[in-house]
Amino acid sequence: MKGNNSSVVHGVLQDELERNRRMQSRYRKEIDQLPKGALYLRKINQHQYYYLNYRENGKVVAKYLGKYEAVDVENIKKKLSERKHYEELLKKLSDEEKFIINIIK
């Protein structure tokens, strides 16, 4: 009976590990669709322009988004916030995955 309980627990942990990995994959896809970096407003002469600053291959990149009036700042902020949320969830899932793997061993 004791061995049977162990195999049930092992099966549940295997299922949880698979679910965890599916969720990580889903979150990575979501992250890839969202912008990364930080919104930056630059004033050049008498005009204001928005840029999205982020790192790519170890270098800081400033991607031009447009003039102050033409950029949907709230939408970009929302997407940046979503990305941060998904990254936090992905980190938690990664930690859980390591924990489950250690238990299964």
Side-chain angles (χ1 to χ4, degrees), residues 31 34-38 52-57 80 83 87:
I31 288 169
L34 295 167
K36 64 180 175 178
L52 191 61
N53 290 350
Y54 57 93
R55 291 193 177 273
E56 191 171 276
N57 299 325
L80 290 171
R83 182 185 179 100
E87 287 172 341

Side-chain angles (χ1 to χ4, degrees), residues 6-7 9-11 22 30 38 42 49-50 56-57 59-60 62 66 68 76 78 82 85 95 102-103:
S6 176
S7 65
V9 171
H10 188 270
R22 283 193 310 272
E30 290 289 336
R42 281 179 74 179
Y49 305 93
Y50 274 108
E56 191 171 276
N57 299 325
K59 294 183 180 181
V60 175
Y68 179 80
I76 294 171
K78 179 183 170 210
E82 284 179 36
H85 177 71
D95 291 344
N102 283 334
I103 290 174

Side-chain angles (χ1 to χ4, degrees), residues 1 4 7 14 16-17 25 29 39-40 42 47-48 53 56 61 65-66 69-70 75 79 81 85-86 90 95:
M1 187 75 165
N4 192 18
S7 65
Q14 281 295 113
E16 181 60 22
L17 183 59
S25 175
K29 286 177 187 172
L39 202 55
Y40 180 67
R42 281 179 74 179
H47 302 283
Q48 293 180 324
N53 290 350
E56 191 171 276
V61 175
L65 298 177
E69 305 83 19
N75 186 39
K79 288 181 178 181
S81 177
H85 177 71
Y86 281 123
L90 188 60
D95 291 344

Side-chain angles (χ1 to χ4, degrees), residues 4 11 13-14 27 46 51 54 94 96 102:
N4 192 18
L13 289 171
Q14 281 295 113
Y27 290 160
Q46 299 301 318
Y51 290 82
Y54 57 93
S94 178
E96 282 179 17
N102 283 334

